[in-house]
Structure formats: C-alpha cells, structure tokens
Amino acid sequence: MSDLDYVPYVPYNGTTPTGGDSLTHNLNVFYESGDIAWMLTSTALVLLMIPGVGFFYSGLARRKSALSLIWLSIMATAVTSFQWFFWGYSLAFSHNAGLFIGTLDNFGLKNVLAQPSVGSARIPDLLFAVYQGMFASITVAIVVGAASERGRMLPCILFMFIWTTVVYDPIVCWTWNPHGWIYRLGGLDFAGGGPVHIASGSAALAYSYVLGKRAGYGTQKLNYRPHNVTQIVIGTVFLWVGWFGFNAGPTLSANLRAVMAALVTNLAACMGGITWCVVDYRLERKWSTVGFCSGAISGLVAITPGSGFVPAWAAVVFGIVAGLTCNFATKLKYWLNADDALDIFAVHGIGGLVGNLLTGFFAADYIAHLDGYTQIRGGWLNHNWIQLAYQAAGSAAGMAYSFVVTALILTLISFLGRVVPALRLRVHRAEEEIGIDDVEIGEFAYDYVELVREVKAPGHDNEYDAESAPDRYQSQASIMLPEKPAAYQLRTIRPFGQGPYSGSHQNLHGRPVGAAT
C-alpha cells in the first residue's frame, strides 16, 4: 500500500478564506476524490440540459422562430455564467449571508477555492460554485422561453443579467444557504422546486403579460401544431439524461442518497409521461408523442424538490399527480388571459408547486440519512404535520416574489425602450409576421428556408410587403418548390368544423383548446 500514489483523506483544518496555500499544502486531502468526480459529472449533466431546453422549446414553436429559442438557451448560459462569476455566487452562497441575500465577500469568485462550501463540507467552494452556476443557467434558459415568437434579443440579454441578480440569487439564498429564512424555517427543497421551477414558471408568466399576446392570438391564425416533434423528443432526452445530475447531484457526494435520488427521478418521469399520454388519449384517441414528452418533464419537475427526501414508491405518486395537474394547468393561460406560448407556467410553475407540496407529505427521515449525515424531521410520512405549511410558505413566497419583481424589471426595460429603441422588448407586428429568426438573427434552423426566401414570386417586386408576407411565402413555396419532401410541405390548417380536431384548435402540448376536461 505504501507504494501506491494515494492521497489520504483528513478532516479540514484550515482557517483562511481560500482553505489554505496550495504552494505549501496539498488541499486535495480534505476531500474524497469520488465526491469530486461525481460532482464534476453532475455539473456536465446539468449543462447538457440547457440545449435540451432549447431544442424542446424550438420544436414546440413555429418554424420561422425555431432557431431563436435555441439561441436564447445558449445565450442564457453565457450571460448567466458571467453573472455567477461576477457576483451571483456571492449573493447566493457567501458564508456571511443574511436571511434574504448574501454579501459581496466572494465578488469575482474572490477567495473561492478549497474552503468547504456552505452546501456541504464534502466538497470545496470552487466545485460548489461551478455546479450551482449550471443551476442558475438552466433556470434563466427556462424563463426566456416566454419571449417566444415576439420578443427581441438585446433587451432579453439585459433581462437575463438583472433577473438572475435580483430574483434568482435571493430565492436561492433564502432556500439553500444555511443563513436563509426558508432554510432556517425548515423548508425542504432538495434540487430546486422553488428557486428553479416555481421562480422560472412565475417569471415566464410575468414575461408573457408584459410582452403581450402574439399576433392572431385566439384566432385561426395561431392554429398550429408544434413544427418539429423529433426535435421535442431530442430535447426531452437531453433533459431526462441531464436531470440525473440535476436531482442526484445535490447530495454533493457519491453515496446511497444520490442513488435513490436518481431512481425516483427516472420513475417520476416515466409515470408523468404515461399519465399525460393517457389523459390526452381520452380526448383525441391518439397517443401523442408531444404529450408523453410534456408529461415526462412535468414528472421531472415535480420530483425535483423531493428527490433526496422521498422513498421510491412515492415517486409513482409524484409522476401521476404531476402529469394530471400540469396537463390541466395548460388551460390556466386562457383563464389568466396570458399568451404563455410554451406553457412554461403550467409545467414549471405548477409542477414545482405540486412537487414542493408533495415533498411535505412524503419526505422521510431515513431517506435523507442515506448519505450518512443529513437529519430531517420529515413530512407527514414521519407525522411532522407542520412541514406542509413550511412547504406552502416557501412556494407562495417564491412565486409571488418572482412574478412581481419580474414584471417590474420588464416594465422598467420597456420604459427605457421608449427612449432607447434598441431596448424595445417586442418586435414590430410586421417583423413578427416575418419571424424572429430572420429579423433578429438572420439565420435559420433549416437550410431550405433560405432557398425559399431568395425566390421571387410572380407579381411581386423586390420590396417586402408585410401585409402579403404569408401569401407570398406560400406562393413561393408551392410554385417554385413543388417537389420538396413531405417534411418540408407547408402544413394545411383545417378550418373549424372540419377534420379530426373539429370545433377547437390545438394547444402546444397536443390537447384541443376548448375541449371538455
């Protein structure tokens, strides 16, 4: 054994903010290499989820704005990662934080190195900062999907930085920092039911309100199916795989609790997908692929806060309840009169709320202690009746704070847009008709779009006429490209009263709007 290059583990004994001097001491001896390896893997898995969100959103939207949603997700990663380095990590996880927000002790990741993190003594500050930075990025990527098909890019980038600073970081601090008020109260949120899902879903609802409805909202003009179901499946797969790092990573070490978190994560996703599919089948007599994907994600969202607290059998309940609740919640946007184009509030806001409340019921002390050191009083399963009230309080606070502050941020940016046109939140109506990809990016998700756009239809000059844009594009495609593959054919929308969807139009997740539930 003495011949092996083995680094023995010793308890942390440093006192300096950095954890010690790397030139004179081996700072690795304070941490298990297995824990470091697992957390680096989890970090990469959560990063994988971000393009997954982009692909999922892109597939749900119309073809002319497909690339913009992928662009927003990867830009969210870049902007949020810089914000996290700049002051986000310090505001959320500084060692001297208050009840609601942290200090700037770690501004620019100052002194973030080998000291044990506030999340767990099992990993150092530096690793915890990298891992949590991925959480911040995925949350912002979820929110900005609300700009779908009518939001401009530059003000959205500004919004990303501000929102992460004044909404996400405080909610994270009070939920996961040991000094935060929800943490001290006894709220249980293992992987982000409040800071990630409730906060992002509520923010997306506010974004939808401030942006306003898309052109043609409530009419036959928006009667369309998701343009690329294969892309939705790819996005779902990325999310599903990445969620193992998202829900099992918060153990912050490689142990049995992480294994249980992975198990319940997969099981809840499966049950959510099955449930949503069955609910949709009763209405359409079709086994919807989009419905399965939406249900799987709703199950993943719901199990997030309870993944490190609940037993395996409870995951079945999480998945079924989430699939039912989030499916019916897609109706809320019509009652709330909000054009939440991608049903972000229904899946993430309501799914996160359901997960937080179910955690209050099913949290078990013996599951939390699978890591060997965590002790909780549990939920109703342990006869800790007050836990449900703690969960409701944290959920309500996160939802209200995120919605109100997000609306204020966007209202301020909108006001500035009157003075500085570059900050105008929404594209003009004529630009919306063209599509965000063309107007804001100048690139397209599919090469053939470029071909169509360069062909001049008979009877039109080179000037673009916004009023005739849809007819022009259709005439170009049908006259000049008659032999294009079936996948590239323009979709024909049946008028009300004709075809299998008679009497209603489809929402993005495949269920007829207006059908009896």
Side-chain angles (χ1 to χ4, degrees), residues 397-422:
M399 185 171 288
Y401 181 79
S402 180
F403 180 86
V404 172
V405 179
T406 300
L408 291 175
I409 295 170
L410 290 167
T411 301
L412 176 60
I413 295 175
S414 180
F415 177 78
L416 293 175
R418 299 178 184 178
V419 181
V420 183

Side-chain angles (χ1 to χ4, degrees), residues 316-329:
V316 176
V317 180
F318 274 76
I320 293 173
V321 174
L324 286 169
T325 306
C326 294
N327 185 294
F328 289 110

Side-chain angles (χ1 to χ4, degrees), residues 356-377:
N356 268 4
L357 296 179
L358 289 179
T359 299
F361 278 100
F362 297 110
D365 52 5
Y366 70 96
I367 296 296
H369 200 64
L370 283 173
D371 60 11
Y373 51 86
T374 298
Q375 295 184 354
I376 63 170
R377 295 179 61 190

